Amino acid sequence: LPILLRALSIVTPDGAVFLFRAPCPPLKVPVVQVEESLRRYDSDSGLVIQYDAQLGWAPRPGGVSADGMYRYARDGSRVGPDDRPKNDAKESVALFGDSTMHGTGVAWRDSIGARLESSLGGKREVKNFALGAYGMDQALLRWRSVKDEVKPSVVVFGFQAENVKRNGSIFRAFYTYETVDIPF
């Protein structure tokens, strides 16, 4: 039985053990993971996310991912392949939340922001400030950091049940080993 359990477990670089995606005591602070991530944020200007003292990480203004799937405007909102200024819509919708609201894993045209803007028929500009792995606290802080510049008419906070885990733990590694590039 111990050999089977060991074969089914995952051990992180910090020595934390996960069995069936659940952390096993004793929990370990992911020091190695955090140090590696921060080094990568500082040294790789090609990353589309960067270290942010208030949020942990934020999009790199003007950043484009290596595969071109993710693009960010100067204000840090996710934009499509053509990030020219939008129409003259006087009202805007600002989206905040985690990877679901961000559209992580899907092309811009299939993201919530692009679909919402299309469904509004150009009457409102949609600015997507959501980002993968954000908890509700980070989404709120992100809104506070851009609200005066963006001045949205409508603010939408995305929520999914998994956010409860994020809100209860500073270190993601205490509940998942899967997102090693985003430690907090």
Side-chain angles (χ1 to χ4, degrees), residues 37-43 47 49 51 57 60 181-182:
S37 294
L38 293 178
R39 266 194 305 278
R40 202 168 44 255
Y41 288 166
D42 286 340
S43 65
L47 290 176
I49 57 172
Y51 171 74
W57 62 95
R60 189 176 304 277
D181 57 331
I182 300 177

Side-chain angles (χ1 to χ4, degrees), residues 94-102 112 130-131 134-140 155-168:
L95 307 179
F96 298 87
D98 66 359
S99 56
T100 302
M101 184 65 82
H102 174 259
I112 291 171
L131 194 59
Y134 268 10
M136 291 308 296
D137 55 344
Q138 287 167 298
L140 177 64
V155 174
V156 178
F157 283 90
F159 175 79
Q160 64 168 326
E162 196 265 341
N163 290 153
V164 174
K165 289 182 183 179
R166 288 186 211 152
N167 295 342

Side-chain angles (χ1 to χ4, degrees), residues 91-95 116 120 124-127 152-156:
E91 296 186 351
S92 65
V93 177
L95 307 179
L116 178 59
L120 293 172
R124 288 196 170 122
E125 178 181 22
V126 176
K127 300 198 71 83
S153 310
V154 177
V155 174
V156 178

Side-chain angles (χ1 to χ4, degrees), residues 4 27 42 61 102 115 170 179:
L4 178 62
L27 298 178
D42 286 340
H102 174 259
R115 288 179 172 243
I170 291 174
T179 316

Side-chain angles (χ1 to χ4, degrees), residues 59-111:
R60 189 176 304 277
V64 178
S65 65
D67 62 4
M69 183 179 271
Y70 308 109
R71 297 174 179 275
Y72 298 93
R74 298 239 179 266
D75 63 8
S77 62
R78 184 175 178 197
V79 295
D82 175 18
D83 80 359
R84 286 182 282 146
K86 303 284 192 242
N87 57 40
D88 294 329
K90 299 211 181 333
E91 296 186 351
S92 65
V93 177
L95 307 179
F96 298 87
D98 66 359
S99 56
T100 302
M101 184 65 82
H102 174 259
T104 301
V106 300
W108 168 251
R109 69 181 175 282
D110 297 323
S111 71

